Amino acid sequence: MYNNYMRVGDWVRIIAGSVRGRKLKTPSGRLTRPTLDRTRESVFNILAATSLRGASVLDVFAGTGALGLEALSRGAVSCVFIDQATQELLRKNIEVCGFDAQCEVIAGPARRALARLQGRQFQFIFADPPYNKNLVNNTIAFIYQYKLLAFGGLLLMEHSKEEPIDDNPLYEIIREKAYGKDTRISFIRYRREGA
């Protein structure tokens, strides 16, 4: 989540939908790695075949909230944001977009926050853990342990190419796309026979 892809104080913008062009602030006082505009645009172009209309969304390691807010702008009805460090920034960005009534922010470590959501399901889950911290496969495991992904839904995991996703009988990677030298986004769903 934090490295040198952006300068402190740079803006991130919503690319399309009802609040297109709205600027989101990044955390001050440190370097951040929000998903770049062009990467988000590519991801949401891929998702265009799967409608976000009416979807419930979960944004884990949310940072600025750009992924979840982009989904809301494009027709999702609700989003839960999880982040240990940026909850106040998330609330400000949610307010700037006018999505207060559709959002919930949970502060704290991802595992504890995901456990709190047990019993709820989401059609789309975005997860963007800090790179190379052994969080990728653990986060996927917790999402499946707590049954947070709705059947037929998609988990989009942004990760370093140095952290491949483990094989698992419960889920499958249906697509993986490289962005730049290091970033991968894996599109994951339940295996048909394993759900």
Side-chain angles (χ1 to χ4, degrees):
M1 180 172 182
Y2 303 108
N3 67 23
N4 61 1
Y5 288 179
M6 289 189 79
R7 292 185 309 276
V8 170
D10 276 355
W11 292 96
V12 174
R13 67 185 176 91
I14 300 296
I15 296 160
S18 64
V19 294
R20 179 183 180 190
R22 200 69 48 97
K23 292 181 178 179
L24 309 177
K25 196 75 168 117
T26 60
S28 60
R30 58 183 158 189
L31 298 177
T32 65
R33 185 189 51 77
T35 303
L36 299 175
D37 286 0
R38 65 181 174 273
T39 303
R40 257 184 307 114
E41 183 170 25
S42 172
V43 166
F44 280 93
N45 285 343
I46 293 168
L47 290 180
T50 310
S51 178
L52 285 157
R53 293 245 168 254
S56 295
V57 175
L58 174 60
D59 190 347
V60 189
F61 303 100
T64 64
L67 289 167
L69 292 168
E70 187 77 42
L72 289 167
S73 182
R74 294 171 185 245
V77 293
S78 65
C79 186
V80 176
F81 297 90
I82 295 173
D83 201 283
Q84 188 165 354
T86 63
Q87 56 271 13
E88 290 308 314
L89 177 72
L90 278 165
R91 288 186 180 96
K92 287 177 185 172
N93 283 338
I94 290 165
E95 184 179 354
V96 161
C97 292
F99 292 137
D100 309 64
Q102 297 167 261
C103 297
E104 178 182 350
V105 176
I106 301 176
R111 181 178 186 171
R112 190 177 317 144
L114 292 169
R116 282 181 53 188
L117 293 171
Q118 189 166 9
R120 293 172 68 177
Q121 291 201 317
F122 303 89
Q123 285 76 43
F124 294 92
I125 300 176
F126 300 99
D128 185 9
Y131 283 8
N132 304 315
K133 302 285 187 188
N134 296 318
L135 292 169
V136 171
N137 288 296
N138 286 341
T139 301
I140 294 170
F142 298 142
I143 287 167
Y144 281 91
Q145 176 183 342
Y146 301 128
K147 298 179 173 30
L148 300 177
L149 184 65
F151 186 73
L154 279 175
L155 163 60
L156 284 79
M157 175 61 71
E158 184 171 337
H159 59 100
S160 163
K161 70 176 182 180
E162 304 300 324
E163 287 187 279
I165 293 173
D166 296 339
D167 287 332
N168 190 292
L170 288 178
Y171 54 82
E172 61 185 341
I173 298 171
I174 60 169
R175 183 170 186 164
E176 188 168 86
K177 189 155 172 58
Y179 295 92
K181 294 179 181 176
D182 191 40
T183 298
R184 302 287 178 273
I185 296 184
S186 297
F187 295 70
I188 303 167
R189 70 176 181 198
Y190 279 109
R191 287 189 191 276
R192 299 275 181 223
E193 66 276 11

